[in-house]
Amino acid sequence: MRATQAIIHVSRLRENMQAIRNKVGKNRAICIPVKADAYGHGAVQIALEVLRCGASCLAVASVREAIELRESGIEAPVLLLSVPSPEEIPEAVANKISMLAADMDFLVLVAAAAQKAGKPVSLHIKIDTGMGRIGCRPENAVLLADFIEKTALLKLEGCASHLAVADSTDPADMAYTRKQLDIFFDAVDSIRKAGINPGILHTANSGAVVLHEESLLDMVRPGLLLYGYPPVAALETSVPVKPLMELRTEISFIKEVYAGESISYGRIWTAGKTTRIATLPLGYADGLPRALSGTTLPSLSDSKRWSVSAGSIRCPIAGRICMDQTMIDIGIDSDIKRWDTVSVFGGNTEKSSAADMAALLGTIPYEICCGINKRVPRIYV
Ligand SMILES: *Cc1c(COP(=O)(O)O)cnc(C)c1O
């Protein structure tokens, strides 16, 4: 087994599911997004585990992802969050994947595929209330609902919207979210007034679960929270979750270097005094962002330099991160040895999570976890 591994702490997944359940109450359905290989955690394993923990639905971004779940024997409802290509629609129908309906042209294609296959299709009307991604204009929701109602084999399973700033406590953003919800409620009302049951109502991503009680409705769709990152840093304890993923590796090589000797490509790091440099068998091809490299050059900033944890010691990255290998400064006096385990992120030391790494890079933990390459085995513990 490769020394570089993404450890997935399954017991934390159960605790995070419980924390979400405590927040949303026992009667609401929980839909867990397992798109992008469950944000890098392994879609099938995460799906099986969350279904055991009471999730009632899974959400994916592509038909291929949905089929992967079906092929592993998962029969639970699967909701496709993106628009499939016309060629993928029959596959989605054949595999009983619920789809979002945002426009009439698409519904016509879905209706044709349903008729051809002789199979029913469940649809959720996606209403764009201010995200600006996919969705119908609120005033058109009733037209789509009407078409679904009148078309054989099409079934209106729910109505959904997506919130653009649900994770922000800025008063203007809070007001924007409330406005999005009001627009959603009006559109849903217009469907009801036409005598059509709008089905399951859902709008809440992780930020909304934490911040907007009024968005929870019939079903919630928290991804980030399940994977263990607080969507609203200031409210970390309101839904207490712990990161599922820890990226670990082993020191593959150690050497002594002397003052003036440089490390790695571009020679951006030079030893100021005698030290020991350890090599780790992982690099940017594994998903360790190259921007985390460490430099001693005054002309370059090392403000984004990351440190890994060897036991309780934080060891800064020395020089450029390579495609498959990375060097760290382990100092001359530490008792760190070859083959010792190193935690790259997500270990027990303070300020060492994927969220801390993301903050350093000016990005979000989603990007760090999704970026861990397929060649890194996922180990479920
Ligand atoms: C990805 C996604 C979610 C989950 O978002 P988190 O911020 O991870 O909770 C919910 N709804 C839709 C439509 C999404 O695309």
Side-chain angles (χ1 to χ4, degrees), residues 254-375:
I254 292 181
K255 63 180 168 291
E256 231 173 41
V257 305
Y258 305 112
E261 292 179 336
S262 66
I263 297 295
S264 195
Y265 290 122
R267 306 190 57 218
I268 66 168
W269 190 96
T270 303
K273 56 180 194 303
T274 301
T275 188
R276 287 187 310 154
I277 295 290
T279 301
L280 305 177
L282 93 164
Y284 60 77
D286 297 294
L288 183 65
R290 185 170 174 275
L292 299 170
S293 298
T295 181
T296 51
L297 289 181
S299 57
L300 292 175
S301 160
D302 76 343
S303 63
K304 293 193 165 76
R305 180 170 68 168
W306 186 246
S307 294
V308 304
S309 309
S312 58
I313 303 172
R314 293 302 293 271
C315 305
I317 290 173
R320 285 244 166 87
I321 293 169
C322 307
M323 186 182 286
D324 314 299
Q325 301 186 80
T326 297
M327 277 62 79
I328 57 173
D329 184 356
I330 59 173
I332 202 72
D333 300 322
S334 72
D335 56 6
I336 297 169
K337 330 177 282 305
R338 192 178 196 182
W339 315 124
D340 277 359
T341 296
V342 165
S343 181
V344 179
F345 67 72
N348 291 325
T349 33
E350 289 274 297
K351 296 264 165 239
S352 71
S353 77
D356 297 310
M357 181 182 275
L360 195 63
L361 291 166
T363 184
I364 49 178
Y366 307 63
E367 194 176 347
I368 303 296
C369 294
C370 290
I372 302 305
N373 193 285
K374 285 269 194 229
R375 79 176 182 186

Side-chain angles (χ1 to χ4, degrees), residues 86-146:
E87 305 86 76
E88 290 175 307
I89 294 173
E91 296 176 66
V93 171
N95 286 281
K96 223 170 156 268
I97 309 307
S98 302
M99 285 181 273
L100 298 176
D103 67 277
M104 207 58 98
D105 290 351
F106 179 72
L107 272 181
V108 168
L109 293 175
V110 173
Q115 255 107 61
K116 188 152 182 235
K119 287 191 162 197
V121 182
S122 295
L123 293 155
H124 293 232
I125 296 179
K126 181 76 184 294
I127 305 165
D128 185 2
T129 57
M131 173 68 182
R133 195 164 65 181
I134 57 169
C136 64
R137 296 203 72 89
E139 60 273 22
N140 293 338
V142 65
L143 299 175
L144 300 181
D146 191 54

Side-chain angles (χ1 to χ4, degrees), residues 19 28 30 63 81 84 170 178 224 311 330 362 366:
R28 283 196 176 93
I30 299 177
V63 175
L81 297 173
D170 179 284
R178 284 192 294 270
L224 195 67
I330 59 173
Y366 307 63

Side-chain angles (χ1 to χ4, degrees), residues 145-344:
D146 191 54
F147 181 86
I148 294 169
E149 278 293 295
K150 291 192 171 127
T151 306
L153 297 173
L154 300 191
K155 180 175 181 295
L156 181 55
E157 193 171 57
C159 290
S161 193
H162 196 46
L163 303 169
V165 284
D167 58 353
S168 168
T169 52
D170 179 284
D173 290 339
M174 301 277 287
Y176 190 84
T177 300
R178 284 192 294 270
K179 195 185 93 192
Q180 281 200 266
L181 290 169
D182 284 343
I183 294 170
F184 180 71
F185 296 142
D186 282 349
V188 168
D189 265 349
S190 71
I191 294 174
R192 283 206 189 95
K193 285 203 185 94
I196 300 168
N197 177 358
I200 304 163
L201 304 183
H202 52 109
T203 62
N205 57 5
S206 295
V209 166
V210 171
L211 272 179
H212 294 276
E213 178 77 33
E214 69 280 25
S215 74
L216 304 182
L217 307 177
D218 302 322
M219 183 168 88
V220 294
R221 312 186 301 260
L224 195 67
L225 272 175
L226 176 84
Y227 301 107
Y229 302 98
V232 188
L235 291 172
E236 229 167 294
T237 49
S238 103
V239 185
V241 292
K242 294 201 193 98
L244 298 193
M245 188 190 286
E246 176 181 359
L247 184 61
R248 272 190 208 159
T249 189
E250 262 173 30
I251 291 175
S252 59
F253 187 76
I254 292 181
K255 63 180 168 291
E256 231 173 41
V257 305
Y258 305 112
E261 292 179 336
S262 66
I263 297 295
S264 195
Y265 290 122
R267 306 190 57 218
I268 66 168
W269 190 96
T270 303
K273 56 180 194 303
T274 301
T275 188
R276 287 187 310 154
I277 295 290
T279 301
L280 305 177
L282 93 164
Y284 60 77
D286 297 294
L288 183 65
R290 185 170 174 275
L292 299 170
S293 298
T295 181
T296 51
L297 289 181
S299 57
L300 292 175
S301 160
D302 76 343
S303 63
K304 293 193 165 76
R305 180 170 68 168
W306 186 246
S307 294
V308 304
S309 309
S312 58
I313 303 172
R314 293 302 293 271
C315 305
I317 290 173
R320 285 244 166 87
I321 293 169
C322 307
M323 186 182 286
D324 314 299
Q325 301 186 80
T326 297
M327 277 62 79
I328 57 173
D329 184 356
I330 59 173
I332 202 72
D333 300 322
S334 72
D335 56 6
I336 297 169
K337 330 177 282 305
R338 192 178 196 182
W339 315 124
D340 277 359
T341 296
V342 165
S343 181
V344 179

